[in-house]
Amino acid sequence: MRKTHSILIPVGILIFVGLLMVFSSTGLISKAKYGNGYHYLWMHLFTVVIGLAAMLFLAQMDYRKLNNRWVVIILLALSLGLLILVFTGIGVKANGARRWIRLWPSTFQPSEFVKFTTVLALAYYIEKYASKMKSLGYGILIPFAVVGIFQLIIYKQPDFGAIISLGIITIILLFIGGIRLKWNYIAGFLLLGAAGFYKFVWLEPYRKDRVMFFWNPWKDALGKGFHLVQSLLAFGRGGITGVGPGASKQKLFYLPELHTDFIFSLIGEEWGLIGVSCILGLFIWFFIKGTKIAEQTEDPFGYYLAMGLTLMIVTQALINFAVTIGLMPTKGLPLPFISYGGSALLVNMMAVGVLISIQRSVNSKGWTGERGRYIQ
Amino acid sequence: MLWDRAPDADNYAGRKRAIVLKTIVFFCFSVVFFKLFYLMVIQHKGLSEKAEQQYSRAVTLMPQRGTIYDRSMRELAVNIETNSLYAVPVKMENINDVSSRLSPVVKVSANILSSRLADGKGRKSSFMWIARKMDEDMSRGAEKVKDKLKNTVGVVTETKRYYPKGQLAAHILGYTDIDNKGLEGIERRYDKHMKGQVKKVQLGRDAHGLNLANNTEEGIPGNSLLLTIDEGLQHIVERELAGAVETWHAEGAVGIMMDPMTGEIFALANMPTYDLNVPADADVSERRNRAITDSYEPGSTFKVISASGVIEEGLVTPESKFDCSKGYINVGGGKPIRDVHKNGVLTFKECVQKSSNVCLIQAGTILGEKKFYEYVKGFGFGDKTGIDLIGEVGGLLKSPGAWSGRTLATMSIGQEIGVTPLQILRAYSAIANGGRLMKPYIVSEVISPDRRIIEKSSPKVERQVVSEETAKTMRDILKTVVTEGGTAQRASIKGNAVAGKTGTAQMIDPKTGRYSSSDYVSSFVGFVPADNPRISLIIVVFKPRGASYGGTVAAPVFRNIIEQTLTYLDVPMERDENNITLVSR
């Protein structure tokens, strides 16, 4: 494989593992719901094919075409529109949340698309206003106002995972974008965060429970701590080598959201520490590749875009790991490339497509050997 | 070109920040790895065990209790499937709501239910019975409410003991508790045979509590019992006893029918009785099996003991003369004992026929204390008969050392001794069968679920009490009791000779400790056909009102039962009204 596409190795392996694990996790549910064991697998495979097409399209396209005011505005407007569509007639409700819109043959989750748009818009914004990033207004207030609108709409769905994920990406991009770190900014930020936590978590009984019981899930192992306890049991059962592919017992309806949010636990049970270490390794590999692409480009827009997209995926993976092993309260975030769930997979593959495009532009200008120039 | 365009402190900060960011990301990956290592290596064993526990649950498979059959394999006690309602308190979020929904179904107040459920939730209980073995009405309600209260209440099928004939043979069969454990009668005595074996198995299950293995297993079923009881005869005895109790406004009555040759009990009934399907509604006195658990003074029925003794010892022949013309006899101090009617000089045969106290006391005296006591013991008094029921007593028999000057005389006529109806019947059966004291029994076969006979009872001769000869002599004497001049003409039937003896005994008033002037025990015991006995039967009526003599109260009951029984058993008549033998043997 050419160097251009070497980021595809970890991604390809992760997607392949995803196919295996989706099959392993959904065989039972699928059989119970649809009468055959392959329904979810086919749906997942279908998304992979669509995702590959989208990825190829973006990879052969020059990413710099995205560095355009109108592209950014159109994508932002599109995101906003899609988010609002969720609340209309074509919105789909499931598990008490309206996160999806109907899109034959499946559904689409706009909040995933919003993550992609946000990274793109921030990359455009930071490059464009690089000199003003130190000011409070340009560096902090404007970007957070825009992202905040998205977060507010997503809060209405609600999709807390997406809100957190958007917030983290924004902070990271503004951080490397060079905003001024003043103590009063940080203090104000923390205060705002605390207020938000109080309003949106503490006053919401089910989220409060999640936060409370993540500290000690065993206190109510059959009730509020159930999900986390089952996840911990799955890892515990896995041991070093795992119980073997398909041999999970935790998947017998013990593990909640098995094929989406808790698929990592299933990997832990079936493939053991060896398996989960490989997954960790693949994401680290992806992270190194992604940041390398960013660092190789001399185009600031490319740099921020590559960093943003890479971290969008890696932070989601880290949050997912942390949730399944009880380091963070449970919230619905899929594991990139692996979890079942078309929109996230599609968006992540689009991100990979853009990353390849950035890599290609680096190569075509013969800058491959010169990365030492800016990181020394 | 960010770095080229602005190679200043900011640029440097940007690079530094990228490094900081990467460091944080790698740090996060390491934290995740260490937590994974902790869970999967260090806690591996503990977590695996915890997980294992939830995959299976110990399920107690209740066995089917054995069936009780009568001697013709008619079902007397069976199992039926009923529904029981249980709750899972730990999963309940709104206990008050659950309670108010359950309350009308199980007919328990919502307050009581909610406090019980709250208690269960406090103990983190995942299983609590709400109502067990419900009737059809409750069961239907429970099915409905179960669908509305998913996961927090459920219905399971349990088998319940059911007695299709209700009261029939109540005192023999007994009943079980809610867990099918035998509490009375055969159910208790043969509990270990019938209960079967509970099987404990670990069933795999998923988180929905569904069993992974399709389990239709049960515990190992219990053995069934074949009784010596005949449903038809039992029914006849119970009906006639009930009639007698009603007629005489009696406190109660006992009837026992047995095969004198083998000791098999054909029927055993007590009045008052109760419905086995609702034992809790019955009074203690109704559940009492007086046939074996209460002793009473037998009175004249006991006279066969001394009579048999003097004949066996050769001291007296049926034709020996006794002077009873005084109508009373003085015994060791105290009041003299009288006959009901003054008799003249009687043969010994007539003494028994007319139940002369004066004569039988003389016979007892001839026999002497030691010999008499031997015969009393020999006929099985003072000892349990060993019948396979619960609660049998041996009666009250003082040993000669404790006797007063009157005891020999009074015991000869059935006083100062406590016996059970079954003991008397057994003694008469010995006379009927040629002198062999049989051990009575009720369970003839224990049958395994696959219809093999595991245990089979066979007639057991305890001892030869008197010789064949003496027994025959006594049978001849007892035949005269139901003929002209005897005390129990009302016991005679068409076509077959009856041998038997009346008994009328004053009961001891528990308040005064003396014989009551109004409370009697009237009895009749006998066997038929007298020369070739197929059935022996005792009828004891406690506290009849309006009449007291055994010949008046008990003998007609005896006759009614015997007549129906002989028809039922198709026993041929040995003679017609004109004494022409139809069947010779």
Side-chain angles (χ1 to χ4, degrees):
Chain A
M1 186 171 283
R2 283 190 300 155
K3 201 157 185 138
T4 320
H5 302 132
S6 60
I7 197 167
L8 275 175
I9 300 172
V11 171
I13 297 173
L14 284 169
I15 290 174
F16 180 72
V17 170
L19 280 168
L20 289 181
M21 294 324 290
V22 163
F23 180 56
S24 174
S25 61
T26 57
L28 276 171
I29 298 179
S30 182
K31 200 138 197 166
K33 259 187 169 165
Y34 300 97
N36 79 78
Y38 302 100
H39 177 265
Y40 287 92
L41 182 63
W42 286 123
M43 293 297 289
H44 194 67
L45 207 58
F46 175 76
T47 318
V48 169
V49 172
I50 300 281
L52 271 175
M55 188 171 89
L56 281 175
F57 173 76
L58 289 167
Q60 57 79 40
M61 193 186 82
D62 188 344
Y63 77 95
R64 277 168 295 199
K65 284 180 183 166
L66 298 171
N67 192 2
N68 176 299
R69 179 189 305 184
W70 293 109
V71 170
V72 171
I73 289 174
I74 288 168
L75 282 178
L76 283 175
L78 186 64
S79 299
L80 205 62
L82 286 172
L83 274 181
I84 289 165
L85 272 182
V86 164
F87 299 100
T88 66
I90 62 164
V92 178
K93 199 170 173 170
N95 300 330
R98 307 182 71 105
R99 294 176 189 164
W100 302 269
I101 54 176
R102 201 165 293 124
L103 196 74
W104 189 91
S106 180
T107 54
F108 183 72
Q109 195 176 349
S111 55
E112 293 295 339
F113 187 64
V114 169
K115 291 175 193 166
F116 181 82
T117 311
T118 304
V119 170
L120 179 66
L122 281 169
Y124 169 82
Y125 179 85
I126 295 169
E127 193 254 4
K128 183 109 181 153
Y129 299 100
S131 55
K132 296 177 177 170
M133 285 312 284
K134 281 182 169 175
S135 77
L136 178 64
Y138 279 92
I140 296 173
L141 295 184
I142 293 175
F144 270 108
V146 174
V147 174
I149 290 170
F150 286 124
Q151 285 180 316
L152 213 65
I153 299 172
I154 296 172
Y155 173 73
K156 289 287 168 199
Q157 296 183 348
D159 185 351
F160 220 63
I163 296 175
I164 297 284
S165 176
L166 267 182
I168 291 178
I169 297 166
T170 309
I171 293 169
I172 288 175
L173 275 172
L174 293 176
F175 174 68
I176 55 174
I179 57 164
R180 177 166 288 171
L181 292 179
K182 275 191 182 171
W183 285 115
N184 49 358
Y185 290 2
I186 294 172
F189 195 81
L190 288 178
L191 215 66
L192 219 69
F197 181 81
Y198 179 75
K199 169 78 178 69
F200 298 121
V201 177
W202 204 253
L203 296 181
E204 292 281 337
Y206 89 98
R207 293 206 188 100
K208 187 182 168 187
D209 280 343
R210 283 184 176 184
V211 174
M212 297 311 287
F213 282 95
F214 116 83
W215 290 115
N216 185 8
W218 301 101
K219 208 166 82 188
D220 191 9
L222 288 176
K224 293 174 176 122
F226 185 77
H227 291 188
L228 183 51
V229 162
Q230 294 306 329
S231 179
L232 297 181
L233 290 178
F235 284 113
R237 258 175 67 75
I240 293 172
T241 54
V243 296
S248 162
K249 282 189 178 174
Q250 286 295 101
K251 70 180 174 192
L252 301 171
F253 307 113
Y254 289 99
L255 274 173
E257 314 292 337
L258 181 61
H259 54 305
T260 57
D261 299 355
F262 283 91
I263 203 162
F264 190 55
S265 321
L266 180 64
I267 297 173
E269 187 185 1
E270 293 195 345
W271 301 86
L273 187 63
I274 294 172
V276 292
S277 302
C278 288
I279 301 294
L280 254 56
L282 287 164
F283 275 103
I284 292 171
W285 187 353
F286 172 82
F287 177 64
I288 291 172
K289 282 281 164 203
T291 48
K292 197 172 273 174
I293 290 171
E295 285 155 3
Q296 281 172 349
T297 178
E298 294 192 2
D299 171 16
F301 172 68
Y303 173 76
Y304 293 125
L305 192 59
M307 283 301 266
L309 292 175
T310 304
L311 283 160
M312 172 182 91
I313 289 168
V314 170
T315 52
Q316 288 195 73
L318 279 170
I319 292 173
N320 182 278
F321 296 150
V323 166
T324 56
I325 58 180
L327 292 176
M328 272 178 87
T330 46
K331 70 174 66 70
L333 259 192
L335 183 56
F337 304 124
I338 292 182
S339 287
Y340 179 81
S343 316
L345 182 56
L346 185 63
V347 167
N348 290 333
M349 288 178 81
M350 280 164 64
V352 174
V354 173
L355 284 171
I356 291 170
S357 174
I358 299 169
Q359 169 85 67
R360 267 162 43 87
S361 77
V362 171
N363 289 351
S364 65
K365 296 206 167 150
W367 293 337
T368 324
E370 301 178 32
R371 63 189 165 97
R373 271 175 59 201
Y374 26 85
I375 297 287
Q376 287 174 338
Chain B
M1 324 285 154
L2 176 71
W3 319 115
D4 294 342
R5 202 173 53 194
D8 53 8
D10 273 355
N11 182 11
Y12 180 68
R15 271 184 282 156
K16 237 172 60 178
R17 286 181 184 186
I19 293 167
V20 168
L21 189 69
K22 278 205 247 182
T23 312
I24 292 174
V25 168
F26 282 119
F27 175 75
C28 288
F29 271 110
S30 357
V31 170
V32 168
F33 178 79
F34 282 115
K35 179 72 195 264
L36 283 169
F37 184 83
Y38 175 69
L39 285 173
M40 302 176 82
V41 178
I42 295 169
Q43 287 199 313
H44 170 60
K45 207 165 161 245
L47 289 175
S48 299
E49 279 166 10
K50 272 208 176 92
E52 256 348 286
Q53 285 166 10
Q54 71 179 359
Y55 301 141
S56 63
R57 66 177 156 189
V59 173
T60 308
L61 299 173
M62 296 307 291
Q64 284 272 342
R65 193 171 172 84
T67 306
I68 304 180
Y69 298 102
D70 89 334
R71 62 186 301 121
S72 308
M73 291 297 276
R74 285 172 286 205
E75 289 167 340
L76 299 179
V78 297
N79 303 305
I80 53 172
E81 299 214 318
T82 55
N83 285 333
S84 292
L85 185 69
Y86 66 88
V88 189
V90 74
K91 282 194 184 169
M92 285 183 186
E93 295 190 348
N94 187 343
I95 283 181
N96 287 333
D97 175 55
V98 174
S99 308
S100 62
R101 282 168 190 269
L102 288 180
S103 170
V105 175
V106 299
K107 297 175 182 75
V108 176
S109 95
N111 288 340
I112 295 174
L113 277 178
S114 63
S115 74
R116 277 179 53 199
L117 290 174
D119 179 54
K121 193 178 181 184
R123 286 184 281 108
K124 295 210 178 284
S125 160
S126 57
F127 187 91
M128 183 184 264
W129 286 120
I130 299 291
R132 292 189 66 185
K133 305 191 179 178
M134 300 177 290
D135 60 28
E136 271 184 47
D137 243 25
M138 282 168 80
S139 194
R140 262 195 301 274
E143 289 287 352
K144 271 185 216 150
V145 86
K146 174 192 84 174
D147 293 337
K148 285 187 195 126
L149 300 172
K150 275 211 173 88
N151 298 328
T152 55
V153 301
V155 171
V156 290
T157 308
E158 287 192 287
T159 65
K160 177 187 177 181
R161 203 59 163 164
Y162 179 66
Y163 304 91
K165 274 99 191 183
Q167 296 193 346
L168 191 90
H171 298 92
I172 300 169
L173 300 177
Y175 49 88
T176 63
D177 66 9
I178 197 90
D179 293 314
N180 289 347
K181 181 176 185 294
L183 290 185
E184 282 286 356
I186 292 286
E187 294 277 26
R188 178 165 161 202
R189 178 67 202 273
Y190 284 87
D191 192 51
K192 66 172 191 291
H193 291 86
M194 283 194 287
K195 72 181 176 190
Q197 254 173 288
V198 166
K199 239 203 235 169
K200 299 237 187 218
V201 293
Q202 296 284 327
L203 281 188
R205 60 168 182 178
D206 63 24
H208 296 163
L210 297 175
N211 295 335
L212 295 180
N214 194 6
N215 178 64
T216 49
E217 273 182 287
E218 290 185 326
I220 302 160
N223 299 321
S224 292
L225 301 180
L226 188 68
L227 303 189
T228 60
I229 300 294
D230 184 285
E231 186 190 312
L233 297 178
Q234 178 74 24
H235 181 70
I236 292 168
V237 172
E238 288 187 14
R239 188 176 60 205
E240 294 303 324
L241 278 187
V245 167
E246 204 188 319
T247 306
W248 302 105
H249 304 289
E251 180 197 72
V254 169
I256 312 170
M257 185 189 287
M258 106 178 187
D259 182 339
M261 299 300 170
T262 61
E264 288 170 76
I265 304 291
F266 288 151
L268 184 153
N270 283 262
M271 286 296 148
T273 183
Y274 64 105
D275 188 342
L276 287 174
N277 292 317
V278 281
D281 292 355
D283 195 69
V284 181
S285 66
E286 291 172 334
R287 295 200 297 242
R288 190 168 202 108
N289 187 3
R290 286 177 121 166
I292 55 169
T293 60
D294 282 18
S295 52
Y296 69 106
E297 284 200 353
S300 305
T301 52
F302 201 69
K303 286 172 182 164
V304 293
I305 310 304
S306 49
S308 303
V310 286
I311 288 172
E312 175 78 4
E313 297 295 321
L315 302 170
V316 165
T317 71
E319 304 306 328
S320 304
K321 295 279 197 296
F322 284 81
D323 181 7
C324 309
S325 51
K326 271 200 293 184
Y328 69 88
I329 183 167
N330 287 311
V331 290
K335 281 203 288 188
I337 292 172
R338 300 185 171 277
D339 276 340
V340 179
H341 308 288
K342 244 186 212 176
N343 298 299
V345 175
L346 299 174
T347 63
F348 188 62
K349 197 176 188 173
E350 288 168 329
C351 290
V352 177
Q353 183 193 23
K354 296 184 192 307
S355 198
S356 165
N357 293 333
V358 173
C359 169
L360 267 302
I361 287 169
Q362 290 176 46
T365 314
I366 294 169
L367 196 55
E369 277 190 8
K370 186 167 163 284
K371 278 281 173 199
F372 179 54
Y373 182 73
E374 272 177 29
Y375 280 99
V376 171
K377 288 291 281 182
F379 273 105
F381 295 98
D383 295 317
K384 294 178 184 179
T385 65
I387 191 170
D388 40 357
L389 283 174
I390 293 293
E392 191 190 14
V393 297
L396 303 164
L397 172 61
K398 289 188 279 191
S399 54
W403 290 7
S404 74
R406 288 170 65 92
T407 304
L408 176 60
T410 54
M411 204 185 284
S412 301
I413 59 169
Q415 295 178 356
E416 282 196 56
I417 182 166
V419 302
T420 63
L422 184 61
Q423 285 176 324
I424 294 286
L425 182 66
R426 178 162 77 142
Y428 276 76
S429 296
I431 290 163
N433 70 24
R436 292 181 300 278
L437 192 76
M438 306 303 296
K439 179 176 172 180
Y441 62 96
I442 275 191
V443 173
S444 63
E445 286 172 11
V446 178
I447 307 164
S448 73
D450 55 357
R451 301 260 148 202
R452 277 180 305 110
I453 297 171
I454 295 171
E455 277 177 38
K456 192 173 169 66
S457 312
S458 46
K460 188 181 172 210
V461 181
E462 298 281 2
R463 64 187 84 92
Q464 185 82 30
V465 197
V466 291
S467 64
E468 289 267 1
E469 194 68 17
T470 305
K472 174 152 192 349
T473 309
M474 284 306 296
R475 288 201 294 272
D476 288 339
I477 294 173
L478 289 175
K479 269 200 277 191
T480 66
V481 172
V482 291
T483 58
E484 186 101 30
T487 56
Q489 291 161 46
R490 288 191 181 121
S492 70
I493 57 167
K494 283 183 190 171
N496 271 302
V498 172
K501 182 76 194 75
T502 55
T504 311
Q506 286 167 288
M507 292 176 87
I508 291 173
D509 189 333
K511 282 179 204 139
T512 59
R514 289 155 175 260
Y515 286 111
S516 160
S517 56
S518 59
D519 295 343
Y520 289 85
V521 179
S522 307
S523 56
F524 188 89
V525 54
F527 43 86
V528 71
D531 297 314
N532 182 24
R534 300 261 317 256
I535 294 157
S536 57
L537 173 67
I538 183 169
I539 301 297
V540 183
V541 180
F542 297 94
K543 295 192 191 172
R545 296 289 174 235
S548 57
Y549 291 115
T552 316
V553 176
V557 183
F558 180 94
R559 182 197 58 218
N560 291 344
I561 293 172
I562 288 294
E563 277 181 348
Q564 294 172 57
T565 301
L566 294 181
T567 310
Y568 181 86
L569 296 180
D570 236 350
V571 175
M573 291 191 185
E574 289 181 325
R575 59 174 194 214
D576 68 4
E577 283 308 274
N578 305 313
N579 264 352
I580 297 169
T581 305
L582 293 177
V583 177
S584 60
R585 302 188 181 205

